[in-house]
Amino acid sequence: MQSYSLIAAAKINLYLEIIGERPDGYHELAMVLQSIDLADYINLRANGTEQFRIYCQHPQVPLDKTNLAYRAAELMASAFPDVFAKYGGVDITIHKNTPVAAGLAGGSSNAAAVLVGLDLIWKLGLTQSELQELGKQLGSDVPFCITGGTALATGRGEQLSPLPDLDNFYVVLAKYRSLAVSTAWAYQTFRQQFGASYVRDAQKLLERQQRVHSGLMVNAIAHRDGAKIGQLLYNDLEKVVFPAYPQVADLRATFYQLGAKSNGNFLGAMMSGSGPTVFALTASEASARYLAEEIKAAKAGTDLEVWVARFLPTGIQIAPTLPKN
Ligand code: ATP
């Protein structure tokens, strides 16, 4: 087949702890990542040339070599030059639904989709772990975006341990359209402010990792205990993003105020990744939809955008082909 469409799911962080600094200069992290059904659609079509071309209508998505989807294609071409020479390049069309620079791994999910799609078009037959090894070279979130579901991520975020799927949870996602937070800025600012307390010793880093593995959040997920998961939501990056962007802090506070008045299915709220998206976790779709209307009403007159999404047990999926008539 010369063409594939893939569904690239966004993610939220249920937990993000910055543990310390690694010898390679990256942060040592402990995260719990969760795929959600807010997704981009990525179409790959063999173009009979030796080039990759990006098409996307979204004004914030670059169409040049800096696009993560493009970088994923180049990586595949350099990893498999003979296969690239045989099959040639592809046109990559990105239908963007996930907000950009929002802490939802939009770019990483697009890169993951290109790795999976080229594996299919070029008939490489790579395993998930081979695809993840390639993904690591593009960004720490890319390996997770390939397999998705619920996972504990350590190291730079690329070392994954799958966790039991969380079914029947919903999130309300809220983001001010005009607000974007740079992930690099958030981590650099965190390092400037909290770097003095980082764990740097290799043995101590390992001990901390092991403690997180048996941590309370992982335990709550194992028991699918929604109330506990809601109480244990955690994100170190709120410490730097909230003071710089008070409207993000206010958004989370507003979710808690509205949640307290709602029908008991509100479980908690937190910023995702480096923000500025804030999500509220609920135990039913009806509660999520109710809360979505409430937050829109509370922030009427602003450029707040709101989505309702369900937890997903998967990462990149092949989109079903539409019947031709
Ligand atoms: P993460 O949660 O992994 O930190 P994010 O969701 O905060 O990522 P992205 O949506 O990936 O952020 O966008 C970050 C930047 O990457 C954007 O400012 C954009 O210019 C650039 N970018 C490159 N490729 C893409 C892509 N395919 N989709 C979206 N942004 C892209």
Side-chain angles (χ1 to χ4, degrees):
M1 194 194 248
Q2 299 295 299
S3 162
Y4 275 96
S5 289
L6 299 128
I7 306 171
K11 64 87 185 143
I12 55 168
N13 299 74
L14 298 175
Y15 189 91
L16 190 165
E17 186 180 356
I18 299 176
I19 292 177
E21 191 150 40
R22 299 150 50 89
D24 61 11
Y26 282 93
H27 280 100
E28 178 75 25
L29 303 173
M31 302 192 286
V32 174
L33 303 172
Q34 174 65 53
S35 302
I36 54 173
D37 71 354
L38 177 63
D40 295 338
Y41 287 80
I42 313 292
N43 181 265
L44 302 189
R45 182 174 294 276
N47 62 18
T49 76
E50 288 173 9
Q51 284 174 8
F52 299 109
R53 296 184 295 230
I54 300 279
Y55 298 89
C56 183
Q57 303 279 351
H58 195 294
Q60 283 169 276
V61 175
L63 302 176
D64 60 11
K65 294 184 175 202
T66 62
N67 193 301
L68 262 183
Y70 185 93
R71 290 184 44 218
E74 282 220 309
L75 176 68
M76 289 291 273
S78 64
F80 305 100
D82 298 345
V83 183
F84 175 49
K86 179 174 170 193
Y87 289 102
V90 292
D91 287 349
I92 301 167
T93 307
I94 301 170
H95 301 277
K96 201 63 147 155
N97 299 313
T98 307
V100 175
L104 301 172
S108 301
S109 76
N110 295 178
V114 169
L115 297 180
V116 171
L118 281 179
D119 175 54
L120 293 167
I121 290 187
W122 291 353
K123 301 180 174 58
L124 288 162
L126 298 176
T127 62
Q128 295 243 317
S129 72
E130 286 168 333
L131 288 167
Q132 286 177 324
E133 278 301 314
L134 288 161
K136 264 185 206 175
Q137 299 175 45
L138 297 163
S140 308
D141 284 340
V142 179
F144 171 75
C145 288
I146 293 170
T147 41
T150 311
L152 178 68
T154 52
R156 289 159 40 199
E158 86 294 4
Q159 291 167 25
L160 300 172
S161 311
L163 294 171
D165 289 334
L166 291 171
D167 303 323
N168 298 321
F169 287 99
Y170 290 81
V171 275
V172 183
L173 300 152
K175 176 186 175 289
Y176 290 104
R177 186 199 296 268
S178 51
L179 208 59
V181 174
S182 149
T183 304
W185 169 85
Y187 279 101
Q188 275 159 21
T189 309
F190 194 91
R191 180 183 275 121
Q192 280 159 15
Q193 292 184 14
F194 301 99
S197 63
Y198 280 1
V199 177
R200 288 194 168 81
D201 174 78
Q203 181 57 32
K204 289 213 175 85
L205 280 177
L206 196 70
E207 284 166 21
R208 278 297 295 276
Q209 265 193 11
Q210 282 160 352
R211 252 187 290 154
V212 175
H213 271 274
S214 59
L216 296 173
M217 179 56 107
V218 171
N219 205 23
I221 291 170
H223 290 92
R224 295 188 171 84
D225 184 339
K228 272 260 159 60
I229 293 169
Q231 285 162 17
L232 293 168
L233 294 173
Y234 183 80
N235 186 348
D236 263 334
L237 291 174
E238 288 185 342
K239 292 177 192 160
V240 290
V241 176
F242 281 6
Y245 301 93
Q247 60 276 55
V248 183
D250 170 71
L251 201 51
R252 197 185 83 151
T254 307
F255 266 133
Y256 273 96
Q257 282 157 16
L258 297 172
K261 288 190 280 171
S262 75
N263 52 7
N265 277 323
F266 168 78
L267 302 171
M270 203 182 63
M271 186 179 80
S272 181
S274 52
T277 305
V278 174
F279 67 85
L281 182 64
T282 73
S284 78
E285 183 175 1
S287 314
R289 298 217 173 272
Y290 174 79
L291 200 55
E293 292 312 312
E294 292 282 296
I295 195 93
K296 278 186 215 165
K299 300 294 171 194
T302 71
D303 68 350
L304 190 75
E305 293 186 295
V306 177
W307 300 261
V308 169
R310 189 168 59 90
F311 280 18
L312 270 190
T314 51
I316 302 301
Q317 294 275 88
I318 301 173
T321 40
L322 297 172
K324 288 197 180 97
N325 49 14

